[in-house]
Amino acid sequence: MSIKVTHEISLFKSRPLWIVLIVLVVLLGGSWIVFSQNLTQERLGSNNSAEALKPAAVAGHPAPEFELKTLEGDTLRLADFKGKPVLVNFWATWCGPCRAEFPDFQRAHVDNANDLVIIGINNTTADQVDLVDDFVTEMGATFPIVLDETGDVVETYGVLGLPTSVFIDRDGVVNEVFTGPINKAYIESKLSEL
Amino acid sequence: MLPTILIGSIALPTYPLLLLVALWAGMWLAAYRAQYLNLDGDHVYNAGLYGLLAGIIGARVWFVLSHWENYAPNLTQALSLSRSALSVGEGLIIAGLVVLIYLQRNKVPLGDFFDAAAPGLALALIIGSIGALLGGEALGLPADLPWAVEIGGTARHPIQVYEAGAALLILVILFVGRRWRPWPGFQFWLFVALHSFSRLLLEIFRARPYLINDGYLAVQILALAALVVALSVMAYNFSGRSVSNNQG
């Protein structure tokens, strides 16, 4: 009877080498993390912040300014609401999901009147003004409704589908652009971020 | 950028669409690889679909619980079919747990299963990163480089391309080394180590990283932890198999 012991000699089998590798990874990785943190702090404090970016409907960018007429013929500017969170909603009367979410916008407007401004922008180039009036009356909407009669704001905001909601924080920076219906609970859950 | 794909009058959001494509492609590749590891490919599809369902439901439940004061007055709002209101990170964890439970209950060898899944995960990352680029998600830092991508009028690091490139490199490494399986689970832990390393390096190029405690990038910390765990598992499995005694 013979006893045969097989030692598989391989670099991978060396426990000390693995320990050295893991320690090196921790030290180098940790240093990289600290370096990244310093860079991030510098960046956040520098002029490479939202103000340095071009206005665009992209999270982190200043929201593009607009000036549109309300159904009553008054002029409404986004800049009028700087200092308050704003929810801009693009919609049309023929859009089913827009119709479904409108009551939630009205309820959110009523319950959060002091904390949130909701602006409904009708895509009037793809709609009819008299239908818009009937729709708003039917929905009982009391938040500002404006008409994008040239389509310029829709284009500036890159709206490709309806409804599209743009959450803008109190500094005028875009927080989120969402295409699809949203509800009151989701709107209110965003307030702490704005 | 192509945030939505128009089919007639229906606007489909690009990023979620490509995430579904990524999941399906990943499952297909994993099921294909499973054959070579003597596994039933159906387990890949079952685990993937159970994980997807659990992940979506879990992500919604977690979001609702995190914002209970907003949902409590009208809980039916939690049932909205909108793709908003999802806690993605927590959903992924829940999906992972459900996959593990499925595998345990069906007595699927974990090491073999996750070795089969590794190239599928890499492929899914490639497609998902491209989806993020097209959908304008997870943007890179502003940059003045020849290869910068303009989004919202600002030229940015195409971090999504960097991530897709890293995932492609990982896929190539896994393909080239596909016959080298010194122990069950090795290819999966190799994937974890390589992917964690890439996230550790690349996260610095993200425009709006998740920050904790005075500006530390949370993803980098998680990535370093995952890398250390992966290397530790490899160390244990390699160095624990250094001696074999044959008596005859």
Side-chain angles (χ1 to χ4, degrees):
Chain A
M1 185 175 73
S2 66
I3 298 172
K4 184 171 139 190
V5 174
T6 305
H7 291 274
E8 293 176 85
I9 299 172
S10 159
L11 219 55
F12 291 107
K13 314 284 186 184
S14 166
R15 188 169 292 184
L17 274 183
W18 277 107
I19 292 172
V20 168
L21 174 64
I22 291 170
V23 169
L24 269 176
V25 163
V26 170
L27 290 175
L28 291 174
S31 304
W32 175 247
I33 288 173
V34 171
F35 173 75
S36 303
Q37 186 258 358
N38 288 335
L39 266 188
T40 303
Q41 291 287 68
E42 269 179 43
R43 180 170 62 84
L44 290 175
S46 74
N47 64 354
N48 197 4
S49 56
E51 286 75 28
L53 300 173
K54 292 181 187 171
V58 173
H61 282 240
E65 185 50 59
F66 60 79
E67 182 177 308
L68 293 171
K69 292 270 191 244
T70 67
L71 284 171
E72 294 77 26
D74 301 323
T75 299
L76 182 144
R77 295 174 199 83
L78 179 61
D80 294 340
F81 305 104
K82 186 92 180 270
K84 271 197 167 178
V86 176
L87 170 54
V88 174
N89 177 250
F90 292 86
W91 63 280
T93 59
W94 47 261
C95 161
C98 304
R99 173 175 284 272
E101 69 175 3
F102 232 77
D104 277 66
F105 277 85
Q106 175 60 20
R107 284 193 286 270
H109 166 67
V110 168
D111 290 354
N112 301 281
N114 294 327
D115 302 317
L116 176 69
V117 174
I118 297 178
I119 303 172
I121 299 184
N122 174 259
N123 184 9
T124 318
T125 57
D127 213 335
Q128 296 176 53
V129 178
D130 49 349
L131 289 180
V132 172
D133 208 23
D134 292 342
F135 182 95
V136 171
T137 304
E138 177 194 340
M139 291 290 160
T142 56
F143 55 89
I145 302 289
V146 291
L147 306 171
D148 185 7
E149 295 178 290
T150 61
D152 287 344
V153 179
V154 165
E155 187 179 329
T156 301
Y157 273 74
V159 175
L160 293 176
L162 297 176
T164 291
S165 294
V166 182
F167 290 88
I168 303 167
D169 71 19
R170 61 192 72 234
D171 297 320
V173 176
V174 175
N175 174 276
E176 181 185 3
V177 181
F178 187 83
T179 299
I182 57 177
N183 58 29
K184 176 173 182 281
Y186 184 69
I187 293 169
E188 291 174 340
S189 74
K190 293 288 290 183
L191 287 178
S192 60
E193 295 176 33
L194 305 177
Chain B
M1 220 166 77
L2 188 69
T4 54
I5 295 172
L6 284 173
I7 299 177
S9 61
I10 299 172
L12 297 172
T14 308
Y15 186 40
L17 200 58
L18 279 179
L19 283 179
L20 282 176
V21 171
L23 176 66
W24 212 259
M27 287 196 295
W28 168 80
L29 184 56
Y32 176 79
R33 182 84 186 112
Q35 297 170 53
Y36 294 92
L37 298 175
N38 297 316
L39 284 178
D40 184 354
D42 281 349
H43 285 309
V44 172
Y45 289 111
N46 291 342
L49 290 174
Y50 283 134
L52 175 66
L53 203 58
I56 291 172
I57 294 171
R60 174 57 60 85
V61 168
W62 197 281
F63 187 92
V64 169
L65 291 176
S66 310
H67 299 88
W68 182 248
E69 68 281 6
N70 304 122
Y71 284 88
N74 185 359
L75 273 180
T76 57
Q77 300 233 316
L79 301 175
S80 161
L81 293 179
S82 166
R83 62 186 171 82
S84 63
L86 296 171
S87 296
V88 175
E90 289 80 358
L92 282 172
I93 292 170
I94 292 167
L97 287 172
V98 166
V99 166
L100 281 175
I101 291 170
Y102 170 84
L103 294 175
Q104 291 280 48
R105 292 191 69 165
N106 288 274
K107 297 181 172 47
V108 179
L110 291 183
D112 293 340
F113 178 87
F114 283 107
D115 277 350
L121 288 169
L123 179 61
L125 282 171
I126 294 168
I127 299 172
S129 298
I130 294 169
L133 176 68
L134 293 175
E137 303 280 345
L139 299 178
L141 284 175
D144 184 17
L145 295 164
W147 59 85
V149 171
E150 188 171 300
I151 296 177
T154 301
R156 295 178 175 273
H157 278 286
I159 185 174
Q160 308 93 335
V161 175
Y162 302 161
E163 289 173 333
L168 178 61
L169 184 59
I170 293 170
L171 183 60
V172 168
I173 290 171
L174 290 175
F175 177 76
V176 167
R178 65 193 181 280
R179 291 197 177 84
W180 190 44
R181 281 183 81 223
W183 37 272
F186 167 72
Q187 300 223 326
F188 171 73
W189 286 109
L190 178 63
F191 165 81
V192 171
L194 292 172
H195 179 58
S196 305
F197 181 65
S198 72
R199 292 306 297 268
L200 179 63
L201 286 186
L202 296 177
E203 191 65 12
I204 197 172
F205 296 108
R206 183 114 28 226
R208 304 174 90 206
Y210 187 71
L211 301 175
I212 54 171
N213 284 4
D214 255 2
Y216 287 96
L217 280 64
V219 168
Q220 281 189 325
I221 294 170
L222 285 172
L224 180 60
L227 177 56
V228 169
V229 166
L231 291 175
S232 302
V233 170
M234 288 182 176
Y236 173 77
N237 280 280
F238 272 119
S239 61
R241 291 160 197 263
S242 58
V243 174
S244 65
N245 294 316
N246 295 325
Q247 292 186 321

